[in-house]
Amino acid sequence: IGTTGSGKTTILNLISGLYEPVLGEILIDDVNIKNINPEILKKSIGFVTQELIIFSGTVREIMKWVDDKVSDDEIIEALKIAQIYDFISKLPDGLDTFIGQKGVNLSGGQKQRLTIARAIIKKPKILILDDCTSSVDYITEKKILRNLKEKFTSCTKIIVTPRIFTIAEADKIIVIDKGEIVGIGNHKELLEKCLVYKEIYETQVGEIING
């Protein structure tokens, strides 16, 4: 978490190998990513960005775009975890519903949930969510995050967000400010010892109360 322009997305691009660090190194399971085959690294990371990429096709085709061998049961499970299956199942054509280019016939929140489901289908070792629940209501967002924690346990989840309530229950929270890490800990610890985190928290609580 951090303010706009603090460097959150840059860190994600470093983790996924899109940028190379000028100083230091990036390790996954104690292995420098420079020593990992780029194709293996790519297959090991599921990345849902702020810029949602949805090509035209049926829901089934969109989900199979990542892996054409996945079954309908696997697709349905991923859609359920991402809290989009109830919507899809009520459409006349279900998984055969045609989605237009860039998801033009979906709402912002529906597009976000579909792209999360598509990333889950990949079964990545690392799942990166870059502020990709901004158009989802608070209750649905909490259900998605709970599902990811309870039902999608085979990977490390990295969530980037400007909203404290999105990551308040995370095992570890890293606070970024002006390109530097200024705090690491859980929600309670950071409220007590990280001024930047406390300021973000108090600002957002105030917006909720006043809004």
Side-chain angles (χ1 to χ4, degrees):
I1 192 168
T3 55
T4 301
S6 59
K8 303 185 297 296
T9 298
T10 299
I11 289 178
L12 297 188
N13 289 332
L14 286 165
I15 293 172
S16 57
L18 296 177
Y19 298 162
E20 287 191 9
V22 177
L23 297 172
E25 57 186 3
I26 298 169
L27 308 178
I28 298 178
D29 289 338
D30 295 325
V31 178
N32 192 314
I33 64 170
K34 290 183 179 180
N35 299 323
I36 301 175
N37 183 305
E39 284 301 312
I40 293 176
L41 182 65
K42 183 179 178 181
K43 290 179 180 179
S44 299
I45 297 177
F47 202 157
V48 184
T49 66
Q50 298 175 34
E51 298 296 327
L52 302 175
I53 301 173
I54 300 178
F55 299 115
S56 60
T58 66
V59 173
R60 182 183 284 104
E61 289 169 343
I62 290 170
M63 298 296 284
K64 283 179 173 283
W65 182 62
V66 175
D67 182 357
D68 60 7
K69 297 177 183 176
V70 297
S71 66
D72 281 1
D73 287 342
E74 290 175 302
I75 291 173
I76 290 170
E77 178 62 17
L79 293 172
K80 285 181 177 179
I81 291 174
Q83 289 291 298
I84 188 69
Y85 180 67
D86 283 351
F87 167 73
I88 298 296
S89 65
K90 292 175 183 176
L91 296 173
D93 295 323
L95 295 179
D96 292 315
T97 299
F98 184 83
I99 306 298
Q101 190 76 6
K102 297 183 179 180
V104 292
N105 48 334
L106 298 176
S107 69
Q110 289 163 353
K111 285 188 282 189
Q112 288 183 334
R113 284 178 281 163
L114 187 61
T115 53
I116 291 172
R118 187 179 61 193
I120 292 170
I121 277 286
K122 188 178 180 180
K123 297 183 177 66
K125 297 296 183 183
I126 300 172
L127 177 63
I128 298 175
L129 306 177
D130 185 8
D131 194 20
C132 63
T133 55
S134 57
S135 297
V136 176
D137 65 83
Y138 175 74
I139 294 175
T140 301
E141 180 186 59
K142 296 301 286 185
K143 288 179 179 178
I144 294 171
L145 297 177
R146 188 180 303 117
N147 284 344
L148 288 173
K149 186 171 186 177
E150 296 176 356
K151 299 180 180 181
F152 195 58
T153 59
S154 60
C155 80
T156 296
K157 276 83 68 178
I158 301 175
I159 301 170
V160 169
T161 179
R163 300 185 295 185
I164 275 184
F165 297 104
T166 300
I167 44 85
E169 297 179 14
D171 299 313
K172 182 181 292 184
I173 300 170
I174 299 174
V175 186
I176 311 293
D177 186 49
K178 298 175 183 177
E180 296 184 356
I181 294 174
V182 296
I184 299 176
N186 61 35
H187 177 69
K188 183 179 179 181
E189 292 168 343
L190 290 171
L191 279 179
E192 294 174 352
K193 67 181 182 181
C194 180
L195 180 60
V196 172
Y197 189 83
K198 186 177 180 180
E199 288 177 347
I200 295 173
Y201 174 78
E202 290 176 346
T203 298
Q204 293 182 7
V205 167
E207 289 175 352
I208 292 173
I209 292 173
N210 296 325

